[in-house]
Amino acid sequence: MKPIALLGAIALLGFTVVAGAATPEAQLIAPVHLLSDSLNKGDTKTAASTLSSSGVTIIDEISPHIWTGADAFDTWLKAYAAWEQEEAITDGVYKMGKPTGVVVNGDHGYVALPVVYTFKQKGMPMREVAHMVFVLQKEKSAWLITAFT
């Protein structure tokens, strides 16, 4: 293959990969993964940056089971930490699977995906398999999470 043709093929392949990463679906999923990755690292500031500035709704198995509004994430984090302490849970890690549903409707989106939560409870390794759902809204040029359960 001639050098010019090879460079053209490489450039075209690079453009295709970049264009594929910028699909609406990929943009929608990115904040979901950033939220999970940030929480796994204990980086609540970055995790909070994935949430809508107008507030969020969180539904969880932890009492009181629902948090809404601008301070929902902070109050959920406190409840989550208290629950971990009460249940003697440590080393929690969330691993997101491949989305089973991604819907983009203009500036609103929906992502459903399997999640595996591994942790230790009273020192014993545990594993919980679940499905999570995220609702997002495009604000300015970024997708932000408005709800998750």
Side-chain angles (χ1 to χ4, degrees), residues 6 10 15 17 27 40 44 55 68 84 88-89 97 111-112 118 141-143:
L6 180 59
I10 292 170
F15 176 75
V17 170
Q27 291 175 5
N40 284 338
T44 58
T68 60
E84 283 183 319
I89 292 176
V111 175
T118 57
S141 62
W143 285 100

Side-chain angles (χ1 to χ4, degrees), residues 11-113:
L12 182 59
L13 178 61
F15 176 75
T16 303
V17 170
V18 171
T23 65
E25 291 81 7
Q27 291 175 5
L28 193 64
I29 294 166
V32 171
H33 283 288
L34 182 57
L35 174 68
S36 174
D37 293 345
S38 300
L39 289 174
N40 284 338
K41 294 175 188 173
D43 181 359
T44 58
K45 184 177 179 181
T46 300
S49 75
T50 67
L51 306 175
S52 173
S53 59
S54 62
V56 66
T57 298
I58 301 169
I59 299 173
D60 200 351
E61 67 185 90
I62 301 163
S63 184
H65 310 293
I66 188 166
W67 295 262
T68 60
D71 65 343
F73 185 64
D74 291 335
T75 56
W76 173 76
L77 283 174
K78 289 176 187 168
Y80 188 83
W83 172 78
E84 283 183 319
Q85 185 173 11
E86 181 180 307
E87 296 294 323
I89 292 176
T90 60
D91 304 322
V93 174
Y94 292 91
K95 181 173 170 56
M96 303 285 184
K98 184 177 178 179
T100 56
V102 178
V103 178
V104 179
N105 289 317
D107 62 352
H108 291 86
Y110 173 94
V111 175
L113 43 70

